[in-house]
Amino acid sequence: MSAGVVVSVEVDAATIRRGDQVMIGSQVFVVGDMVATHGGGKRVEFTSGESFTLRRTTVLWASRRVDPRRRGRPEA
């Protein structure tokens, strides 16, 4: 079991992380991998096999597990 709490965070192409859970079209997807695209975007690949292109200006809400006891370097 992972330590920490789940919080909602606003993410964009620069701040999205592996393990983030995003809801698109009332379905939850877990970020598995990402590839940078031209113009500052990212092609996000989900653990279920789907992919989504996140443009530099696209903003989504994600659920992220964080450990409030950790200070310094954030979880990757």
Side-chain angles (χ1 to χ4, degrees), residues 11-22 29-38 40-47 49-55 60 62 64 75-76:
V11 297
D12 58 22
T15 60
I16 195 164
R17 298 180 187 170
R18 288 178 184 86
D20 282 354
Q21 297 177 342
V22 296
F29 295 94
V30 179
V31 177
D33 199 10
M34 296 169 286
V35 177
T37 62
H38 67 284
K42 285 191 181 164
R43 188 179 74 237
V44 179
E45 298 176 3
F46 300 112
T47 57
E50 289 91 355
S51 63
F52 180 80
T53 301
L54 190 61
R55 303 281 181 210
L60 299 172
R64 180 179 291 167
E75 292 181 32

